Amino acid sequence: MSRLDAKKPSLCKSEPLTSERVRTTLSVLKTIVTSCYGPSGRLKQLHNGSGGYVCTTSQSSALLSHLSVTHPILKILTASVQNHVSSFSDCGLFTAILCCNLIENVQRLGLTPTSVIRLNTHLLSLCISYLKSETCGCRIPVDFSSTQILLCLVRSILTSKPACTLTRAETEHISALILRAFLLTIPENAEGHIILGKCLIVPLKGQRVIDSTVLPGILIEMSEVQLMRLLPIKKSAALKVALFCTTLSGDISDTGEGTVVLSYGVSLENAVLDQLLNLGRQLVSDHVDLVLCQKVIHPSLKQFLNMHRVIAIDRIGVTLMEPLTKMTGTQPIGSLGSISPNSYGSVKDVCTAKFGSKHFVHLTPNEATICSLLLCNRNDTAWDELKLTCQTALHVLQLTLKEPWALLGGGCTETHLAAYIRHKTHNNPESILKDDECTQTELQLIAEAFCSALESVVGSLEHDGGEILTDMKYGHLWSVQADSPCLVNWPDLLSQCGCGLYNSREELSWSFLRSTHHPFVPQTCLSHEAVGSVSNLTLDCLTAKLSGLQVAVETANLILDLSYVIEDTN
């Protein structure tokens, strides 16, 4: 078919960041992500004009996946953040806000992109080196023999997601459940390389959050009528399990990995049914106690298995196949032919359970590395947000197991890091510049823009008109409510810093965030006694934060280095 319209030439735009439209679009994106940040972040409702699903969230993963962006620069930024979140789950908003702030701050300087990118890269290396060093004043070790720090880490994630609508008691309950679920996925006798199990989240919407619980093993949802038909198994030894990934319905169009051979004049349906019954006879002769099928089991085969006191459960779905394979040790059977003895697995026990209005078959494992988190919340919206938050928390715990360190949260790491960079660039610029072609003046300008970007992330935590201060000893963040009197001693207004590690009873001096003051050395080498004395710290995942910092700086450098944007308008 011939082209109806002549092909239009591609649009080529030079220096895209000088465009007012691009700056306005970046500013709008920054406003959206900034207003979502922190425990008091504002929720966003996302939906399309033709109706359908409405997403209410303040999380970057849900926000950016539902947000439609068209400009290439915004696509680069959002894609970078989404890639970070897909790998680390946490610190998505931090990454997006820092990236926007860096671009905005550097644009005001009027320096060449080459100098900016080179110095940004040096400052990024300085940050990462410091945060990984033993002298870092905002990094604490995570001891897996104690639950204190782990609970603080999970609690910090839950409290930063207001759309979960949790009370304090509910937050404590869910935090404990998430930690217990995570610990159940760690093998008991693990040595050297650890292969973690899996936590399955089972929905119980419309129930009280406090009714949520964790069980070892897998729950398979069934109707009450189906559950009543299941025969109880009383056996002291482990139960033998066969797991089928093909249909056992007798459907001719789906024979799995096998073939059906027929003689002339034989009914096709009867031949397939005979093969199913032969399969059932082998299962009985092999003393199988439980047959699980991803798809449908033929009623005649079900009846035959029940007559021989074999439990048959079908329609378990593709989602449970991998966890069932791991938990039972089975090899999924994909044909109707003879079954290898190595294909069978086992479970410790099979029982029934009821939670809320739902009925389940509960498969208890021999070794608990698979567990089920029955998650309750008041409505669909709050449950969706809580599920996403629980998945984030579980992933963060996995990352922390690999790298057992955490960063002080609540904005204290950002303000501490900004103070450290200012001091380093002011008192020892030669260690950063080395053989670089950049001047000391350019370093001071870029360093201030970098530190201001970090502090702007911290400023995003305040949504109610309050003030943010930093102390001149530790470089931590302190919040003052909006209606506080002006002329008053700061210790009378300030209770504790953002992370909760220090209180105002110490002899400290404060200054307003982003106010002009002489660079100072924030105290390094965090005291283990100080950390151990506080039971309710706000913490961030070190691995996720480092990645977010790196992605933000590198994405900002990429966008600042763009000279042309070429768009195909056809």
Side-chain angles (χ1 to χ4, degrees), residues 196-400:
L196 294 177
K198 191 169 185 179
C199 174
L200 304 173
I201 298 179
V202 181
L204 283 174
K205 301 176 184 179
Q207 303 291 322
R208 299 183 310 160
V209 176
I210 212 74
D211 292 333
S212 301
T213 189
V214 171
L215 295 172
I218 293 176
L219 292 169
I220 302 174
E221 187 177 352
M222 299 184 72
S223 68
E224 188 176 4
V225 175
Q226 288 175 306
L227 210 62
M228 290 172 65
R229 292 174 182 166
L230 295 182
L231 297 170
I233 297 180
K234 293 183 178 179
K235 195 174 179 182
S236 57
L239 306 178
K240 202 169 188 178
V241 179
L243 178 64
F244 288 87
C245 58
T246 187
T247 181
L248 299 179
S249 65
D251 188 355
I252 307 301
S253 62
D254 185 4
T255 57
E257 299 167 5
T259 57
V260 179
V261 180
L262 298 176
S263 302
Y264 179 75
V266 176
S267 166
L268 192 61
E269 289 78 9
N270 289 339
V272 173
L273 182 57
D274 287 343
Q275 191 159 350
L276 286 174
L277 292 176
N278 286 335
L279 180 70
R281 292 186 187 97
Q282 183 183 351
L283 292 170
V284 172
S285 65
D286 288 343
H287 305 290
V288 172
D289 300 297
L290 176 64
V291 174
L292 302 170
C293 183
Q294 177 186 334
K295 299 178 183 179
V296 179
I297 300 178
H298 194 285
S300 297
L301 179 57
K302 265 191 180 179
Q303 186 179 11
F304 176 83
L305 293 172
N306 286 338
M307 284 172 58
H308 292 83
R309 306 195 68 78
V310 178
I311 293 179
I313 303 173
D314 60 356
R315 305 174 192 268
I316 62 174
V318 69
T319 308
L320 290 179
M321 288 300 290
E322 184 191 352
L324 281 169
T325 303
K326 280 186 176 181
M327 188 186 83
T328 60
T330 57
Q331 296 177 10
I333 303 163
S335 71
L336 306 182
S338 180
I339 303 171
S340 167
N342 296 329
S343 298
Y344 298 127
S346 66
V347 293
K348 185 178 181 181
D349 192 18
V350 178
C351 61
T352 61
K354 181 183 178 183
F355 297 96
S357 59
K358 292 187 176 183
H359 298 266
F360 301 92
V361 173
H362 181 202
L363 307 182
T364 307
N366 294 309
E367 185 180 348
T369 57
I370 303 289
C371 66
S372 298
L373 170 58
L374 286 117
L375 193 61
C376 307
N377 213 335
R378 301 165 186 84
N379 53 60
D380 288 4
T381 300
W383 188 89
D384 290 342
E385 189 79 352
L386 183 57
K387 178 192 175 186
L388 196 57
T389 306
C390 290
Q391 289 172 336
T392 299
L394 287 166
H395 192 188
V396 162
L397 288 171
Q398 290 171 2
L399 294 172
T400 307

Side-chain angles (χ1 to χ4, degrees), residues 407-426:
L407 290 175
L408 298 176
C412 289
T413 290
E414 288 86 340
T415 51
H416 179 93
L417 198 56
Y420 174 79
I421 293 169
R422 281 198 179 99
H423 169 75
K424 198 78 173 174
T425 54
H426 186 270

Side-chain angles (χ1 to χ4, degrees), residues 17 27 34 42-43 102 125 138 167 173 202 210 219 225 313 387 402 456 481 486 488 498 546:
L17 286 178
S27 179
T34 299
R42 304 312 192 228
L43 305 184
L102 281 170
S125 298
C138 48
T167 64
H173 180 65
V202 181
I210 212 74
L219 292 169
V225 175
I313 303 173
K387 178 192 175 186
K402 188 175 181 181
S456 294
Q481 293 182 356
C486 297
V488 70
L546 287 176

Side-chain angles (χ1 to χ4, degrees), residues 462-532:
E462 180 53 61
H463 301 279
D464 300 309
E467 293 287 354
I468 293 179
L469 293 82
T470 55
D471 66 81
M472 300 292 105
K473 181 179 180 181
Y474 305 109
H476 280 217
L477 172 146
W478 304 74
S479 295
V480 181
Q481 293 182 356
D483 55 353
S484 301
C486 297
L487 300 174
V488 70
N489 290 328
W490 288 126
D492 297 335
L493 288 178
L494 304 172
S495 56
Q496 60 184 19
C497 66
C499 68
L501 185 59
Y502 301 113
N503 58 60
S504 59
R505 290 192 295 272
E506 295 189 44
E507 293 184 3
L508 300 174
S509 59
W510 291 269
S511 70
F512 287 103
L513 188 71
R514 292 189 290 270
S515 63
T516 305
H517 55 79
H518 193 273
F520 67 97
V521 190
Q523 183 171 303
T524 57
C525 297
L526 198 60
S527 166
H528 293 294
E529 291 76 16
V531 174

